[in-house]
Amino acid sequence: MALWEAVLELADDHLVLGHRVSEWCGHAPMLEEDLAMPNMALDLIGTARTLYDHAGALEGAGRDENRLAYFRDERAYVNCLLVERPNGDFAQTMLRQLYFAAFMEPYWRQALHSSDAVIAGVAGKAVKEMAYHIRHAGEWVIRLGDGTEESARRMQSAVRALHGYTGELFEAGADAGGVLPDRAALRGDWDRVIGEVFAEAGLRQPDGVPMQSGGRRGLHGEGLGHLLAEMQSLARAHPGAVW
Amino acid sequence: MSEQARAWAAAAAVPDPEVPCVTVAELGILRWVEMRGAVAVAGVSPTYSGCPATAFIEMAIEAALCQAGFEARIERVLSPAWTTDWISDEGREKLRAYGIAPPEGPAGKAALFSAPEVSCPRCGSRDTAQISAFGSTACKAQYQCRACAEPFDYFKCI
């Protein structure tokens, strides 16, 4: 295991979640959210692009961002399972965004001091963007959790659906040799933000939920294959196509 | 005028494609221009990770340098990350005159769950409200003035 694989894990997390969020484009429940979703997707995909190029350069096998994004199959993807979970309803999408951003914000804050200049550079941008995502998604989780009976029921059911995928965020993946932050050490920061939002939203974190794992080893849910099929079909049908 | 100064002037005059009232220099995304032998190399920083205008801006700067008679190259500068603190005072005034409220205060001070207080670029009132945290481009949010009812873009402070 090597640094490039750890960077690839990060890149996959951002691309897969970015694609998921982009699926809302044109389908969001209101115009403001139709603007918010593609904006958040762009942040994630933009970060993924730089990370893919960096992973490719570190690997040294001549793979660029397009090669890595479009020409790897499901089993070669090493994203965590949380990011590939289907959008579900709006509540589930916003909770997934909060779970992810509340992890990545302290992650990038640590990575600002990385000895790897590209990672530190990406972190400088991404830490601010993730703070913005926490705020946006957090406000929705509060609004829905503390809203009507229907919205609260949906928010709590989103918690049930996604909570079991949060443990994997803190698992160590490929060994980055100390160049990337220690994932397990970010638990306190994540717990604090989620706890704050849940308290205001009137949501409960479920106890005793078994944590799912396997994404870092290429073991994915059914949804990822469908996502990749849609995302990769153009690049594979027309190899070498560029915008 | 030195070759370096001439190259800087050519690159610095390029307008931002999405906010054409300000130049890339006033926005602070053109970091430097230096001569490496006969080649003019421009350092450019993206505003947001996924800003779709990034590639276009780089092309426009390269084209401006070529038009000024230079062989040109662009280097993308990620670190330190661009911040709205680098928008010049002149740039802020131009944004306001264009109808876009410039970022308020220094970056990195935003509280987790509160929208910043923003002055209306039209009437100057502080009585404004955020309509949408995200706007027409990655760098902007949407506000409305309660005093004069003007809806306007706010250049997010990052």
Side-chain angles (χ1 to χ4, degrees):
Chain A
M1 289 295 194
L3 176 59
W4 80 268
E5 289 166 297
V7 176
L8 188 67
E9 291 172 355
L10 267 182
D12 284 350
D13 283 355
H14 284 74
L15 180 66
V16 171
L17 184 59
H19 190 88
R20 274 285 183 241
V21 174
S22 80
E23 289 171 358
W24 276 99
C25 184
H27 301 278
M30 59 206 276
L31 181 61
E32 287 77 5
E33 286 312 304
D34 231 17
L35 290 171
M37 293 294 191
N39 264 302
M40 292 200 290
L42 276 173
D43 288 343
L44 295 163
I45 293 166
T47 300
R49 291 185 61 178
T50 311
L51 291 171
Y52 277 132
D53 266 340
H54 192 44
L58 289 169
E59 184 199 24
R63 293 200 282 182
D64 65 3
E65 53 172 322
N66 289 317
R67 201 74 218 162
L68 287 168
Y70 295 132
F71 295 91
R72 279 180 307 139
D73 289 331
E74 197 183 337
R75 288 297 298 267
Y77 261 77
V78 285
N79 58 278
C80 63
L81 298 173
L82 174 70
V83 296
E84 71 187 49
R85 297 311 299 156
N87 285 338
D89 59 12
F90 190 71
Q92 191 165 320
T93 295
M94 282 298 144
L95 182 67
R96 186 185 59 200
Q97 202 65 18
L98 177 69
Y99 278 159
F100 183 74
F103 176 81
M104 288 312 304
E105 195 271 338
Y107 184 97
W108 290 126
R109 204 159 6 97
Q110 293 270 317
L112 286 170
H113 313 291
S114 173
S115 56
D116 182 310
V118 175
I119 294 297
V122 170
K125 283 268 76 113
V127 71
K128 298 172 180 179
E129 292 164 359
M130 285 303 114
Y132 213 76
H133 291 207
I134 291 178
R135 188 187 323 163
H136 189 68
E139 282 175 357
W140 273 111
V141 170
I142 292 168
R143 191 173 301 144
L144 296 174
D146 190 29
T148 65
E149 206 175 300
E150 165 83 0
S151 73
R153 183 184 62 74
R154 289 206 187 196
M155 206 66 240
Q156 193 63 57
S157 104
V159 173
R160 272 196 305 278
L162 292 177
H163 189 76
Y165 296 97
T166 57
E168 198 181 21
L169 288 171
F170 305 95
E171 287 177 15
D175 182 8
V179 173
L180 297 176
D182 173 7
R183 289 176 164 271
L186 303 173
R187 169 68 78 174
D189 286 303
W190 188 85
D191 278 342
R192 192 175 43 73
V193 172
I194 299 301
E196 240 174 74
V197 172
F198 274 33
E200 254 196 86
L203 294 167
R204 295 175 312 280
Q205 297 216 48
D207 296 322
V209 176
M211 288 294 162
Q212 305 291 328
S213 177
R216 305 292 185 212
R217 286 173 285 126
L219 304 174
H220 297 283
E222 184 187 352
L224 184 67
H226 294 277
L227 182 153
L228 292 180
E230 183 184 311
M231 189 182 80
Q232 297 178 333
S233 63
L234 188 138
R236 292 188 182 213
H238 305 278
V242 291
W243 290 108
Chain B
M1 199 190 266
S2 71
E3 284 295 86
Q4 195 273 339
R6 211 165 62 74
W8 169 265
V14 171
D16 181 88
E18 283 173 333
V19 193
C21 62
V22 287
T23 66
V24 291
E26 287 162 342
L27 273 181
I29 55 181
L30 177 66
R31 305 294 274 275
W32 40 258
V33 179
E34 58 184 39
M35 298 302 300
R36 293 190 196 154
V39 183
V41 185
V44 181
S45 290
T47 53
Y48 279 73
S49 301
C51 178
T54 303
F56 185 88
I57 291 168
E58 291 173 352
M59 256 180 348
I61 294 173
E62 194 176 350
L65 285 167
C66 289
Q67 230 162 22
F70 293 99
E71 194 182 322
R73 207 173 69 234
I74 304 296
E75 271 181 23
R76 194 171 288 188
V77 184
L78 290 178
S79 188
W82 177 83
T83 152
T84 44
D85 292 350
W86 296 349
I87 302 178
S88 68
D89 290 342
E90 220 180 354
R92 283 164 202 264
E93 266 326 300
K94 286 186 182 176
L95 284 172
R96 204 187 320 272
Y98 191 70
I100 299 172
E104 297 264 352
K109 295 269 182 283
L112 198 51
F113 291 113
S114 70
E117 247 187 59
V118 175
S119 293
C120 171
R122 186 170 168 275
C123 74
S125 169
R126 297 288 282 175
D127 189 14
T128 62
Q130 180 178 282
I131 300 172
S132 170
F134 294 85
S136 54
T137 64
C139 55
K140 287 178 275 176
Q142 292 183 334
Y143 273 70
Q144 184 167 24
C145 178
R146 290 200 188 99
C148 74
E150 178 84 352
F152 62 89
D153 275 336
Y154 168 59
F155 209 107
K156 293 189 295 207
C157 186
I158 65 159

